[in-house]
């Protein structure tokens, strides 16, 4: 008998993963989506804060971005064998190809796409994102987004969120 070799392990696509730039609505959408589906919601940034006992801002300022990225990859690798989770990821998780490969193994990836202007409007009044604490945040958003766009586009599904309310986005995903 010829052996059957599935292309992915058995974790494949039992979870929903939200990716996208900072301020694209991953957390808000993720929480509501999880509620509607009866799934468990988790946020990789929160898991990092729990693991280190520090805020994301503290990690960036005390330990640096590289350390943060290493913890992010570690946390992600620990997310194996889970089922029926909605996972909201940090906006930079796609900057490592190994992270994308792992995400693909554990779930269905949805990119919440938004224009730099929409992102800017959403994050302008917030202060907890170290990468946007610069003189010209809009320029920084445009720069990082153009660096990451290709990686985000590796998602299984893209939702253009410009002009949509959280509830519309959740409905689109469920549909
Ligand atoms: C980052 C996004 C943040 C957080 C960290 C770095 C990024 O998460 O992981 O500040 O590189 O885009 P959110 O996308 O949830 O804001």
């Amino acid at each position: 008998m010829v052996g059957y070799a599935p292309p992915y392990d058995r974790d494949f696509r039992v979870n929903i993963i939200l990716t996208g730039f900072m301020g694209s609505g991953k957390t808000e959408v993720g929480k509501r989506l999880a509620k509607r589906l009866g799934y468990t919601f988790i946020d990789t940034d929160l898991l990092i804060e729990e693991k280190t006992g520090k805020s994301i801002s503290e990690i960036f300022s005390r330990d640096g971005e590289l350390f943060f990225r290493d913890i992010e990859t570690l946390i992600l690798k620990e997310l194996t064998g889970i089922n029926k989770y909605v996972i909201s990821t940090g906006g930079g998780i796609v900057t490592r190809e190994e992270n994308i490969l792992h995400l693909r193994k554990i779930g269905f990836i949805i990119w919440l796409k938004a224009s730099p202007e929409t992102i800017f409007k959403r994050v302008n009044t917030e202060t907890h994102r170290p990468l946007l604490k610069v003189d010209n945040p809009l320029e920084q958003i445009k720069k990082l987004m153009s660096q990451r766009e290709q990686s985000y586009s590796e998602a299984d599904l893209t939702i253009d969120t410009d002009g949509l309310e959280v509830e519309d986005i959740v409905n689109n995903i469920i549909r």
Side-chain angles (χ1 to χ4, degrees):
M1 195 182 123
V2 179
Y4 171 62
Y8 303 97
D9 65 29
R10 70 186 167 82
D11 284 342
F12 187 57
R13 280 155 205 261
V14 287
N15 304 292
I16 293 177
I17 294 147
L18 300 177
T19 63
F21 205 80
M22 292 171 261
S24 58
K26 292 163 292 184
T27 303
E28 196 62 22
V29 169
K31 281 182 182 167
R32 289 213 209 169
L33 181 65
K35 205 168 180 188
R36 289 267 296 271
L37 296 174
Y39 281 24
T40 306
F41 173 77
I42 48 172
D43 181 320
T44 57
D45 282 346
L46 285 181
L47 294 177
I48 292 169
E49 292 186 333
E50 275 168 23
K51 194 173 187 78
T52 59
K54 294 181 197 168
S55 70
I56 302 295
S57 294
E58 273 175 314
I59 300 172
F60 267 77
S61 64
R62 291 194 195 166
D63 310 302
E65 182 173 352
L66 186 60
F67 179 80
F68 172 81
R69 296 291 166 213
D70 286 343
I71 302 279
E72 189 170 54
T73 300
L74 194 76
I75 287 284
L76 199 55
K77 290 213 172 114
E78 287 175 4
L79 297 181
T80 307
I82 56 171
N83 190 15
K84 294 193 174 176
Y85 276 70
V86 174
I87 306 165
S88 170
T89 58
I93 211 151
V94 298
T95 57
R96 287 192 178 173
E97 186 65 21
E98 65 175 307
N99 293 349
I100 299 179
L101 293 176
H102 187 73
L103 289 174
R104 212 176 266 153
K105 261 171 121 181
I106 61 170
F108 185 84
I109 306 175
I110 301 174
W111 172 25
L112 301 186
K113 187 177 181 181
S115 69
E117 290 72 21
T118 299
I119 296 290
F120 180 65
K121 267 190 236 151
R122 289 183 192 154
V123 300
N124 201 18
T125 52
E126 299 171 350
T127 55
H128 65 280
R129 294 188 170 93
L131 289 177
L132 298 181
K133 282 186 189 157
V134 293
D135 290 341
N136 191 335
L138 181 59
E139 275 314 302
Q140 172 82 331
I141 291 166
K142 286 181 180 167
K143 190 181 105 192
L144 289 175
M145 206 182 271
S146 73
Q147 287 168 358
R148 296 174 179 180
E149 194 123 33
Q150 176 60 37
S151 305
Y152 287 135
S153 73
E154 289 182 37
D156 298 298
L157 175 72
T158 298
I159 307 256
D160 208 327
T161 68
D162 282 335
L164 294 186
E165 298 293 332
V166 170
E167 205 54 34
D168 300 327
I169 302 169
V170 172
N171 287 337
N172 282 356
I173 293 173
I174 288 175
R175 213 176 294 132

